[in-house]
Amino acid sequence: MWDVTIGRRVVESGAFVSENVDLSGLTTLRIGGPARLLAECPTTQSLIDVVTLLDREQIPTLILAGGSNLVISDEGFDGVVVRVANTTVSLDTDRVVAEAGAVWDEVVGQSVAAELGGLECLSGIPGSTGATPVQNVGAYGVEVGSRLRRVQLLDRRNGEVSWVEPSKLELGYRSSVLKHSDAALVLAVEFDASTDGLSAPLAYRELFTALGAEEGARLPASQVREAVLGLRTGKAMVLDPYDHDTWSAGSFFTNPVVPGDKLPAVLAAIAEQLGDVNVPQFPGSGGTKLSAGWLIERAGFSKGYPGEDAPARLSTKHTLALTNRGSATSADVVSLARAVRDGVEAAFGVRLEPEPVTVGCTV
């Protein structure tokens, strides 16, 4: 259990300790109850030392960085929240190395400003760099896994620190071996970068259409970054403290991958409900990927659902985002998520899976 001696050792490790912290202020959804203690770790060594100490003492610990992919219960967390706040970024001739606490979009912006290409399609995504390989973050035709060189991890089982190759991370669609596991903690991430200042080949129709380019074209990374930020802003997917449509955890549900033997039944259910419509379909690992946003809207959950007076609503610009209109609780967001998930399943036989990590609550 936490006592004065452990608290002193945490401070001696370089962390800044606060008591009775409101966690809603540390998440992009702006929900979540209190934490008994918060230990903010400004360096990688302090992060290693504090987490190792708390694990050794078997003290319940929640690791938190950008808080962009997190739903915390209204009861909060009865333990120590460790804030990942190491933020050093190093730009080399063909690589970008960033500590886990570095703000992700700032890392992308710095790489583009240095005329390093490859990360520009991932512009505007909120959160920290350390979360990107955990979630295998992706947008506009690029996933982190395609640019990942290696990840520095703290093995919380034995305290060892090592650099790990992407092949060891079991990267998949919005997943990795690191997700939903406390076995390892990301300390830093290293990415490959192109040195010609050009983007990765454009692979996402909405993006290359907006740029007036052909599929596969490579344009100046700065031009692609600007276009991506414009597209994301139009969907309220770039954080803005004055826009409640951005008070979200980003895309709340992953695009479902339907196995081949189940796809005919799903398509038949869609046809029965909607008639002869063009269903967006994409190749997926283990089946066919459908658009979660498309399914949500066609199941009757329009933008802004359930209405102006609701504390938690679907974004008015993007049905895949669940938003806090200013006074929502965690219970409000979870209730909305369940309603959407169950409605899509009832309509089309497809069960949507939440993308954010939940703490003390279950969707």
Side-chain angles (χ1 to χ4, degrees), residues 239-253:
L239 292 179
D240 180 346
Y242 302 103
D243 182 358
H244 286 240
D245 272 328
T246 74
W247 290 27
S248 76
S251 298
F252 199 91
F253 296 101

Side-chain angles (χ1 to χ4, degrees), residues 21-331:
V21 176
D22 180 7
L23 293 177
S24 66
L26 299 178
T27 70
T28 55
L29 256 172
R30 306 195 183 197
I31 60 173
R36 187 155 55 93
L37 291 160
L38 174 76
E40 184 165 332
C41 301
T43 67
T44 296
Q45 192 58 56
S46 66
L47 182 60
I48 293 169
D49 292 344
V50 168
V51 171
T52 301
L53 171 62
L54 296 176
D55 286 347
R56 185 184 306 124
E57 299 295 333
Q58 298 184 338
I59 294 173
T61 303
L62 170 64
I63 308 296
L64 188 150
S68 62
N69 198 48
L70 198 60
V71 180
I72 301 176
S73 74
D74 297 316
E75 288 70 35
F77 184 73
D78 186 22
V80 180
V81 174
V82 175
R83 183 78 184 275
V84 180
N86 56 340
T87 60
T88 300
V89 179
S90 174
L91 304 174
D92 207 339
T93 53
D94 64 347
R95 63 178 188 150
V96 177
V97 183
E99 290 184 323
V103 176
W104 172 247
D105 189 55
E106 293 179 4
V107 173
V108 178
Q110 288 180 49
S111 70
V112 170
E115 298 188 347
L116 296 174
L119 300 179
E120 58 288 323
C121 287
L122 303 175
S123 294
I125 296 175
S128 68
T129 299
T132 60
V134 175
Q135 190 74 5
N136 192 18
V137 165
Y140 295 101
V142 173
E143 288 185 333
V144 158
S146 67
R147 310 302 305 185
L148 196 60
R149 183 176 289 189
R150 56 180 186 163
V151 177
Q152 188 182 40
L153 297 177
L154 167 66
D155 189 325
R156 296 177 64 180
R157 296 163 298 188
N158 57 28
E160 292 183 0
V161 174
S162 62
W163 285 95
V164 176
E165 305 299 317
S167 60
K168 304 293 185 182
L169 300 179
E170 299 180 17
L171 297 168
Y173 172 61
R174 302 298 177 271
S175 68
S176 73
V177 72
L178 302 170
K179 190 174 181 180
H180 301 303
S181 171
D182 293 329
L185 172 64
V186 177
L187 302 174
V189 189
E190 183 175 332
F191 302 94
D192 282 317
S194 59
T195 59
D196 55 10
L198 298 180
S199 69
L202 300 177
Y204 198 82
R205 181 176 299 278
E206 182 184 23
L207 179 57
F208 61 71
T209 299
L211 286 161
E214 298 293 327
E215 182 176 5
R218 299 183 69 216
L219 300 180
S222 58
Q223 182 182 354
V224 175
R225 172 172 165 78
E226 183 177 351
V228 169
L229 289 173
L231 291 171
R232 290 185 66 89
T233 298
K235 300 174 184 177
M237 300 299 273
V238 176
L239 292 179
D240 180 346
Y242 302 103
D243 182 358
H244 286 240
D245 272 328
T246 74
W247 290 27
S248 76
S251 298
F252 199 91
F253 296 101
T254 58
N255 291 322
V257 176
V258 181
D261 60 337
K262 299 190 180 300
L263 184 62
V266 170
L267 295 179
I270 292 174
E272 182 179 351
Q273 294 283 338
L274 306 176
D276 185 16
V277 295
N278 182 29
V279 182
Q281 302 178 50
F282 313 93
S285 177
T288 298
K289 185 187 298 183
L290 303 181
S291 166
W294 189 93
L295 293 171
I296 290 169
E297 195 151 0
R298 271 61 180 187
F301 301 97
S302 58
K303 297 171 184 175
Y305 176 91
E308 291 186 3
D309 296 332
R313 301 167 57 190
L314 297 185
S315 167
T316 65
K317 302 180 182 71
H318 185 30
T319 55
L320 202 48
L322 276 62
T323 67
N324 174 2
R325 309 315 293 187
S327 62
T329 64
S330 178

Side-chain angles (χ1 to χ4, degrees), residues 344-361:
V344 170
E345 186 171 24
F348 307 127
V350 177
R351 188 173 180 85
L352 299 181
E353 296 297 333
E355 188 169 324
V357 175
T358 56
V359 177
C361 57

